[in-house]
Amino acid sequence: MPQNDYIDRHTKLHGKRLDHDERVRKRTAREAHKVAKDSQSFTGLRAKLYQKKRHHEKIQMKKQIRQKEESNVKSAGPQEPSSTPLPQYLLDRSQPSNAKALSSAIKNKRKDSAAKFSVPLPKVKGISEEEMFKVVKTGKKTAKKGWKRMITKPTFVGPDFTRRVVKYERFIRPMGLRYKKAHVTHPELKVTVQLPIISVKKNPQNPMYTQLGVLSKGTIIECNVSELGMVTAGGKVIWGRYAQITNNCEMDGCVNAVLLV
């Protein structure tokens, strides 16, 4: 008998425990918890090596998922050209195909939906972080920390926004500089209407400012235009439309924007 095969030999002679499969299932289910615990507890060189190993594992996992998605593409068309001729009434019938994953064209179209318009302000002046943020010092007098930042520009937060615990809040958005409505001008109708802001779509200064909802000049915002009565070609009411901010809100005390049509 080859060396170190005693476990296999014992299994062949006496069989497995009655709860063997259940124990294996539970051990596999616990692996995720062990991985999470190790990721949080390891320090130093051991942590670096462990993270490198996990990084390679994740790459392999993503490759397998991508291969699975590509293999799940279903097509009703013939895999190879058929030797039997098709009847005339079937010639112009398209071969339907169905894919679980969205095509890259649709993904890119959704990603660039905010940038498909010719905006009124194609270029804006940059804003430095010193101008955007004010350092707020916290802690005891002997050891003050300067990791908190107060945003000095107007911001937008959603209706269901809840502040973090003050102790852990890194970016402070003052209540007096929060805006919920914008004065939106329709370029063709030449009318200005006060509309509620739905979200901040893109801030040209910095992606982080987009996440924080900063309303600076040139920012693309989404407004609720249901009050204007705009409809699509199919007769459906348009609910949200993009608009670009054209003024310095902190100086004027209001948000002025031009609708992108």
Side-chain angles (χ1 to χ4, degrees), residues 131-142:
E131 185 184 351
M132 178 68 69
F133 300 118
K134 175 189 172 186
V135 179
V136 179
K137 299 222 172 182
T138 59
K140 296 180 180 179
K141 291 182 180 178
T142 53

Side-chain angles (χ1 to χ4, degrees), residues 21-189:
D21 295 333
E22 182 68 13
R23 284 162 64 91
V24 169
R25 185 190 65 79
K26 287 184 177 179
R27 191 182 304 121
T28 309
R30 280 196 303 268
E31 280 180 3
H33 297 278
K34 186 178 182 303
V35 167
K37 186 180 177 183
D38 292 345
S39 300
Q40 294 173 0
S41 60
F42 286 165
T43 56
L45 181 62
R46 195 178 182 190
K48 288 183 180 178
L49 295 174
Y50 188 76
Q51 292 302 330
K52 187 177 180 182
K53 176 189 164 192
R54 288 287 300 151
H55 182 65
H56 287 304
E57 288 177 0
K58 287 178 183 177
I59 289 173
Q60 296 300 324
M61 198 183 304
K62 285 183 180 178
K63 284 183 180 178
Q64 290 177 358
I65 292 171
R66 201 177 298 120
Q67 289 174 358
K68 180 76 174 172
E69 286 179 351
E70 289 174 0
S71 66
N72 279 336
V73 175
K74 296 177 182 177
S75 177
Q79 298 297 328
E80 52 189 24
S82 177
S83 59
T84 56
L86 281 172
Q88 189 174 4
Y89 62 87
L90 288 178
L91 285 175
D92 57 346
R93 210 176 265 192
S94 62
Q95 303 291 345
S97 61
N98 176 31
K100 286 189 177 180
L102 288 169
S103 66
S104 60
I106 297 175
K107 285 184 181 177
N108 293 334
K109 187 178 177 183
R110 287 184 176 178
K111 191 184 294 182
D112 299 335
S113 58
K116 67 180 179 180
F117 305 99
S118 56
V119 292
L121 298 175
K123 290 184 179 180
V124 290
K125 182 184 174 185
I127 302 174
S128 63
E129 289 196 3
E130 288 77 12
E131 185 184 351
M132 178 68 69
F133 300 118
K134 175 189 172 186
V135 179
V136 179
K137 299 222 172 182
T138 59
K140 296 180 180 179
K141 291 182 180 178
T142 53
K144 281 188 175 291
K145 302 287 191 300
W147 58 275
K148 287 195 175 189
R149 298 289 182 270
M150 181 181 288
I151 301 173
T152 59
K153 302 287 180 184
T155 55
F156 167 79
V157 294
D160 53 350
F161 171 72
T162 306
R163 280 183 65 182
R164 293 191 68 182
V165 182
V166 178
K167 186 177 179 181
Y168 304 112
E169 188 179 33
R170 175 165 167 74
F171 295 104
I172 302 168
R173 286 169 273 198
M175 289 285 293
L177 287 174
R178 294 184 192 174
Y179 287 85
K180 294 183 179 178
K181 295 194 176 182
H183 303 135
V184 181
T185 303
H186 198 293
E188 296 174 359
L189 301 177

Side-chain angles (χ1 to χ4, degrees), residues 172-217:
I172 302 168
R173 286 169 273 198
M175 289 285 293
L177 287 174
R178 294 184 192 174
Y179 287 85
K180 294 183 179 178
K181 295 194 176 182
H183 303 135
V184 181
T185 303
H186 198 293
E188 296 174 359
L189 301 177
K190 305 295 182 186
V191 293
T192 303
V193 190
Q194 191 181 48
L195 300 174
I197 302 172
I198 299 173
S199 64
V200 176
K201 195 67 183 175
K202 188 173 184 181
N203 191 310
Q205 306 286 345
N206 197 326
M208 184 177 69
Y209 299 165
T210 305
Q211 294 177 353
L212 294 171
V214 178
L215 301 175
S216 60
K217 190 173 183 178

